[in-house]
């Protein structure tokens, strides 16, 4: 009996040793593969450097290899060498050293132009205006330079100066500006006010340092003005710091509530984020407005408030970024922003939409199909789903802009007309009252028609393709009359199109003009005059019965997860 027990122990010990040996071998094999391939990579570069016919640029070649590595991973893992760390800092702080202006490239002029100086920025205080054509920076000709090239030249250490020469439409001689660079802070909350009768509105543009404090200040100010409901607009907010998202949610949710958890390979880094402060208001009716440009921290805010049944979500489905990044220091002052975890909002769902692990034959990663989404439930039992961003409680269909609008923008027709308008009109009425008159629009139409403006008409392209197919299949001869009639109806008529789509065109002209007088705040006020998402949010917040019904009703039908 004793011998039998000894044999069993011997077999057990042998199995354990074998398992440990196998595990060790697996680990050693992986380490060997890493060392082997790094040595191969190093040897290939050395051979190329010594014997390749042309001289290699080591920084460029190695950077190409690094970029190829990170491109095989998720879309958010990036390498930042020392000279690009300012871009990484800007993502987390919203600050940079520069003159404070949006710039854009004019392909006709082959030059960069001032698009929009920030209010009270060095650029604005020096007198730069939208439409100014950048000729030189510190005596260097900017012909053919990209916006990235020019942006890098304009940015610099706080307190240093930069000499800029511009050509201003309507002015005969070039103008020179010597501008002292300052710390430029892009406001997380560029505007807040009251919409409708008593609904507060806060536009939240990013989740950088102190963004939650900005929302807090705006909300307190609006409450002092007597608002009875609140809209937070996070459309096109690409996210930022996870901690700031938690603090924004904390303004409306009790202390001690779990908002988000993160899980990754390094278990010691897994975290659960709960609200840590007393909220400002847990009762005020709340609507969060989202769209496809809402991502990351924006989705944590919208998703957490949806999962906790604290807010009605209005708009269109969000981007679907359910991953968390951290930064790791590298030799020679570089940095690696890498994806370290997935995050999960209160219902337990991860809303990551891009299936980066499974790529198509062309190397691109597709979205996770709705058919594979899993159902989760909010605190009240409402159905929500993972894998495809945050779906709104109230969906607002996106209006498709006409094709002509794209070409009017890309050909700078609207921008140039607005510059001319500003030259002729030193002042205008308030942002709330400003509008494009019929006389203004008539001048714009005249400018476009006289400029030999050309644009693609999709209907003509489709018709030509159909004629080719009909000819190939032998039907064209019998259908010649019908094609000729249809071609006549679809004939190019610029003036007609400018009239048919005048509402959309006028709106963009108004936005472009008003920013020349009232900066970003003016454009926001103008946009709010005709904003279907905001109108829908105001409507639901004004109907308390329907508002509470949305937040308490348990869905018995599958959620509408159609792509938007």
């Amino acid at each position: 009996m004793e011998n039998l027990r000894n044999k069993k122990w011997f077999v057990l010990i042998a199995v354990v040793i074998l398992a440990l040996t196998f595990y060790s071998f697996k680990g050693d094999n992986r380490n060997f593969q890493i060392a082997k391939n790094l040595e191969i990579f190093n040897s290939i570069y050395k051979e190329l450097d010594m014997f390749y016919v042309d001289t290699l640029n080591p920084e460029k070649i190695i950077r190409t290899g690094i970029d190829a590595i990170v491109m095989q991973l998720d879309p958010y893992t990036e390498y930042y060498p020392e000279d690009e760390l300012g871009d990484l800092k800007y993502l987390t702080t919203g600050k940079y050293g520069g003159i404070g202006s949006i710039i854009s490239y004019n392909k006709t002029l082959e030059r960069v132009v001032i698009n929009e100086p920030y209010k009270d920025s060095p650029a604005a205080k020096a007198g730069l205006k939208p439409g100014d054509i950048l000729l030189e920076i510190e005596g260097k000709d900017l012909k053919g330079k990209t916006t990235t090239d020019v942006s890098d030249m304009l940015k610099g250490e706080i307190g240093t100066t930069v000499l800029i020469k511009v050509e201003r439409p309507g002015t005969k001689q070039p103008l020179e500006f010597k501008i002292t660079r300052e710390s430029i802070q892009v406001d997380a909350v560029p505007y807040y006010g009251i919409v409708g009768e008593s609904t507060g509105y806060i536009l939240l543009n990013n989740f950088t340092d102190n963004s939650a404090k900005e929302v807090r200040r705006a909300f307190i100010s609006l409450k002092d003005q007597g608002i009875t409901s609140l809209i937070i607009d996070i459309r096109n907010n690409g996210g930022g710091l996870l901690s700031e998202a938690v603090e924004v949610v904390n303004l409306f949710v009790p202390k001690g509530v779990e908002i988000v958890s993160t899980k990754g390979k390094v278990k010691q880094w897994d975290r659960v984020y709960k609200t840590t402060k007393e909220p400002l208001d847990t009762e005020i009716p709340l609507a969060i407005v989202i769209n496809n440009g809402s991502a990351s921290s924006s989705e944590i805010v919208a998703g957490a408030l949806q999962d906790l049944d604290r807010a009605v979500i209005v708009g269109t489905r969000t981007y679907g970024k359910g991953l968390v990044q951290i930064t790791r220091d590298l030799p020679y002052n570089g940095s690696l922003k890498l994806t370290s975890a997935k995050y999960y909002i209160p219902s337990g769902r991860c809303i990551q939409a891009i299936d980066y692990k499974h790529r198509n034959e062309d190397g691109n990663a597709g979205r996770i199909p709705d058919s594979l989404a899993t159902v989760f439930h909010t605190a009240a039992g409402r159905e929500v789903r993972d894998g495809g961003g945050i779906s709104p409680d109230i969906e607002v269909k996106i209006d498709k802009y006409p094709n002509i609008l794209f070409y009017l923008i890309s050909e700078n027709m609207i921008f140039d007309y607005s510059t001319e308008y500003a030259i002729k009109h030193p002042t205008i009425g308030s942002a709330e009252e400003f509008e494009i008159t019929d006389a203004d629009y008539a001048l714009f139409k005249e400018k476009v028609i006289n400029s030999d403006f050309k644009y693609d008409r999709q209907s003509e392209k489709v018709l030509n393709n159909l004629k080719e197919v009909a000819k190939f299949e032998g039907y064209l001869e019998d259908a010649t009359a019908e094609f000729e009639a249809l071609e006549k109806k679809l004939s190019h008529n610029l003036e007609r199109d400018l009239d048919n789509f005048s509402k959309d065109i006028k709106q963009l002209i108004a936005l472009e003009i008003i920013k020349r007088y009232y900066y970003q705040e003016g454009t926001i006020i103008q946009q709010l005059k005709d904003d279907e998402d905001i109108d829908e949010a105001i409507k639901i917040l004004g109907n308390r019965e329907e508002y509470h019904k949305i937040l308490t009703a348990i869905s018995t039908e599958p959620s509408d997860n159609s792509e938007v």
Side-chain angles (χ1 to χ4, degrees):
M1 191 69 176
E2 185 68 29
N3 289 337
L4 184 60
R5 277 201 299 267
N6 289 338
K7 286 182 179 179
K8 286 183 177 179
W9 275 109
F10 178 79
V11 172
L12 179 60
I13 292 171
V15 170
V16 170
I17 291 173
L18 183 63
L20 290 173
T21 302
F22 178 71
Y23 179 80
S24 177
F25 173 77
K26 283 182 67 178
D28 287 344
N29 185 58
R30 187 173 185 278
N31 291 334
F32 169 72
Q33 290 297 328
I34 292 172
K36 167 188 167 184
N37 285 285
L38 285 175
E39 186 175 352
I40 292 172
F41 182 86
N42 187 45
S43 296
I44 288 174
Y45 181 79
K46 284 183 177 180
E47 294 295 323
L48 289 171
D49 191 48
M50 290 177 64
F51 302 116
Y52 185 66
V53 64
D54 297 321
T55 301
L56 301 182
N57 180 330
E59 187 171 341
K60 183 177 180 181
I61 292 290
I62 300 299
R63 177 62 188 271
T64 300
I66 293 171
D67 290 343
I69 291 172
V70 297
M71 281 181 65
Q72 296 302 309
L73 308 175
D74 66 282
Y76 317 110
T77 296
E78 296 180 273
Y79 165 61
Y80 292 86
E82 182 179 11
D83 60 350
E84 295 179 19
L85 283 183
D87 296 335
L88 182 60
K89 183 179 179 182
Y90 174 68
L91 290 174
T92 57
T93 66
K95 296 179 183 178
Y96 66 94
I99 67 169
S101 177
I102 298 173
I103 57 177
S104 60
Y105 186 76
N106 186 306
K107 64 181 180 181
T108 303
L109 300 172
E110 295 184 356
R111 288 190 180 275
V112 171
V113 300
I114 297 294
N115 188 285
E116 180 185 353
Y118 297 138
K119 185 178 181 180
D120 298 326
S121 68
K125 288 184 286 189
L128 286 176
K129 295 182 178 180
D132 284 350
I133 304 163
L134 294 172
L135 302 177
E136 296 178 2
I137 295 178
E138 296 294 343
K140 295 180 181 178
D141 186 14
L142 302 178
K143 182 83 170 180
K145 297 289 187 183
T146 66
T147 54
T148 300
D149 296 332
V150 175
S151 177
D152 290 341
M153 297 171 74
L154 292 173
K155 291 176 181 176
E157 292 294 323
I158 297 167
T160 59
T161 60
V162 59
L163 183 64
I164 302 172
K165 180 185 285 188
V166 306
E167 177 185 326
R168 176 167 293 169
T171 304
K172 293 182 179 180
Q173 297 297 324
L175 304 174
E176 285 194 348
F177 298 88
K178 190 173 185 179
I179 304 176
T180 301
R181 298 181 178 98
E182 298 178 10
S183 176
I184 307 300
Q185 173 72 60
V186 179
D187 293 332
V189 179
Y191 178 80
Y192 66 90
I194 297 178
V195 293
E197 294 183 3
S198 58
T199 298
Y201 171 83
I202 297 175
L203 175 60
L204 177 56
N205 269 352
N206 58 59
F207 288 90
T208 51
D209 288 336
N210 299 316
S211 57
K213 290 181 180 178
E214 289 190 43
V215 176
R216 182 185 184 90
R217 283 195 294 267
F219 183 45
I220 290 173
S221 175
L222 291 169
K223 288 195 74 174
D224 290 342
Q225 297 175 54
I227 63 168
T228 57
S229 57
L230 178 67
I231 297 169
I232 298 180
D233 186 350
I234 51 176
R235 289 174 295 182
N236 300 312
N237 182 332
L241 300 176
L242 182 150
S243 57
E244 292 295 317
V246 175
E247 287 201 35
V248 170
V249 175
N250 197 170
L251 298 174
F252 310 100
V253 171
K255 181 179 179 180
V257 175
E258 181 178 327
I259 303 303
V260 63
S261 62
T262 62
K263 297 178 183 178
K265 181 187 291 183
V266 183
K267 298 306 176 186
Q268 296 92 322
W269 292 355
D270 290 354
R271 288 193 60 183
V272 174
Y273 294 82
K274 295 183 178 182
T275 50
T276 60
K277 302 173 184 177
E278 293 300 329
L280 287 181
D281 194 326
T282 60
E283 299 296 331
I284 190 168
L286 181 62
I288 308 296
V289 183
I290 58 173
N291 68 0
N292 186 253
S294 306
S296 188
S297 294
S298 292
E299 294 174 295
I300 291 175
V301 169
L305 292 171
Q306 185 179 56
D307 284 357
L308 297 170
D309 303 297
R310 178 61 188 90
V312 169
I313 313 301
V314 179
T316 54
R317 192 194 295 199
T318 61
Y319 179 78
K321 181 176 180 287
L323 305 174
V324 179
Q325 286 73 48
I326 60 171
T327 57
R328 303 289 292 173
D329 293 336
L330 297 174
Y332 300 97
N333 301 316
S335 189
L336 180 66
K337 177 169 71 75
L338 64 91
T339 296
S340 61
K342 294 180 179 180
Y343 70 77
Y344 301 83
I345 48 181
S347 64
R349 55 182 169 145
C350 175
I351 51 85
Q352 174 65 22
I354 296 177
D355 187 8
Y356 57 89
K357 288 185 178 180
H358 303 95
R359 296 177 179 269
N360 304 324
E361 291 183 2
D362 59 4
N364 292 323
R367 291 177 67 92
I368 297 172
D370 290 340
S371 59
L372 298 181
T374 303
V375 174
F376 291 78
H377 295 89
T378 71
R382 296 184 297 146
E383 285 189 1
V384 288
R385 294 177 183 266
D386 67 356
I390 304 298
S391 293
D393 300 309
I394 299 176
E395 183 177 343
V396 181
K397 295 293 183 181
I398 301 175
D399 287 334
K400 292 185 178 180
Y401 286 109
N403 195 41
I404 187 175
L405 205 56
F406 170 78
Y407 286 93
L408 288 171
I409 294 170
S410 64
E411 296 298 323
N412 294 301
M413 298 304 301
I414 291 176
F415 185 87
D416 291 345
Y417 172 78
S418 301
T419 300
E420 295 168 6
Y421 184 97
I423 293 171
K424 296 175 183 177
H425 301 80
T427 61
I428 61 172
S430 68
E432 289 81 4
E433 297 171 350
F434 179 76
E435 62 180 22
I436 297 297
T437 65
D438 291 339
D440 294 332
Y441 192 64
L443 291 174
F444 173 75
K445 283 175 55 181
E446 182 180 348
K447 174 182 174 64
V448 174
I449 292 170
N450 293 338
S451 69
D452 194 31
F453 171 71
K454 297 287 193 304
Y455 63 103
D456 287 340
R457 289 175 56 87
Q458 295 300 314
S459 56
E460 290 179 355
K461 285 186 175 182
V462 173
L463 178 61
N464 288 333
N465 289 337
L466 181 59
K467 286 173 68 177
E468 288 294 324
V469 173
K471 182 179 179 180
F472 176 76
E473 295 183 347
Y475 296 112
L476 181 59
E477 188 174 343
D478 293 338
T480 299
E482 287 82 357
F483 272 114
E484 288 178 353
L486 187 57
E487 197 167 27
K488 189 175 182 180
K489 285 183 177 293
L490 297 177
S491 62
H492 193 96
N493 189 324
L494 176 59
E495 187 169 2
R496 181 191 64 193
D497 288 347
L498 288 171
D499 287 335
N500 285 347
F501 304 114
S502 62
K503 179 183 176 182
D504 292 328
I505 298 171
K506 279 184 176 181
Q507 187 178 33
L508 284 186
I509 294 173
L511 289 173
E512 193 61 54
I513 287 175
I514 208 165
K515 76 179 181 186
R516 286 162 163 73
Y517 302 89
Y518 298 109
Y519 301 94
Q520 185 181 20
E521 181 177 342
T523 63
I524 296 167
I525 292 171
Q526 180 67 30
Q527 286 173 316
L528 289 173
K529 294 177 184 177
D530 185 20
D531 191 318
E532 293 183 13
D533 290 342
I534 301 303
D535 290 344
E536 193 63 42
I538 294 171
K539 180 181 175 182
I540 190 61
L541 290 172
N543 186 340
R544 298 301 166 83
E545 182 180 352
E546 185 64 23
Y547 172 84
H548 289 295
K549 181 180 178 181
I550 289 175
L551 295 179
T552 57
I554 298 178
S555 175
T556 56
E557 297 293 332
S559 299
D560 179 13
N561 283 278
S562 57
E563 188 64 45
V564 293

